[in-house]
Amino acid sequence: MLTEKVISDAKFYNKLILTFFSSEDCNICDELFNKIKELKISNRYYIFNIDSIEKSNYFIRLTRGIIPTITILSPDLKILGIIESTDIKFIEDSLRKIFESYLRDFKGNDIPSFIPELDEPSQEIFYEIINRALENEPVDYRSVEFIKIFSTVHKE
């Protein structure tokens, strides 16, 4: 998707990179993507339609988990803006503002790291979850799944 060729062309032609995140479950995504490609301002962008499931590593790093989402990247791979809307007029205005800000020397923000820092949980947290369930406090599905796994591993 974002190959060295695309990045070097974006730098050479002074174009931004528009990533449109969709999924096969999104009923309006294809129509919206086609409308975006037809906008006059879209000539200033390299446009990519990205399946959020197939390219989840991009989806996780470049969106807040909403479909459809448009993320604008600079040729230096900095995030210049994120648009979470289906209103084509709002999208067009936003694309114009982002491009104008870039021309006025807005550099953007770094892409967040993909690898989260893991915390090492203590045994006390495990038992707290189990005790809450035993005391009939409401628990979510993650807690229920945790208890199922924990009880198969620790028979005591």
Side-chain angles (χ1 to χ4, degrees), residues 44-98:
R44 301 289 187 174
Y45 293 88
Y46 283 114
I47 302 174
F48 296 93
N49 189 355
I50 302 171
D51 184 303
S52 59
I53 304 298
E54 186 178 308
K55 300 287 186 182
S56 61
N57 56 335
Y58 287 107
F59 183 66
I60 291 168
R61 296 172 72 193
L62 298 176
T63 73
R64 294 185 317 132
I66 297 171
I67 294 176
T69 293
I70 300 166
T71 302
I72 307 300
L73 302 172
S74 72
D76 297 321
L77 297 182
K78 304 274 187 177
I79 296 176
L80 299 174
I82 296 176
I83 305 167
E84 298 168 338
S85 177
T86 57
D87 180 359
I88 194 67
K89 181 66 176 144
F90 177 79
I91 292 171
E92 181 178 25
D93 292 342
S94 298
L95 292 175
R96 188 168 282 106
K97 287 176 187 174
I98 291 169

Side-chain angles (χ1 to χ4, degrees), residues 4 6 9 11 14 18 25 27 35-36 41 45 53 59-60 63 73 81-82 85 93 116 136 149:
E4 288 296 322
V6 170
D9 284 353
K11 288 178 183 178
N14 202 27
L18 184 154
D25 296 332
N27 297 330
K35 286 181 181 179
I36 291 169
I41 189 65
Y45 293 88
I53 304 298
F59 183 66
I60 291 168
T63 73
L73 302 172
I82 296 176
S85 177
D93 292 342
N136 290 327
I149 293 170

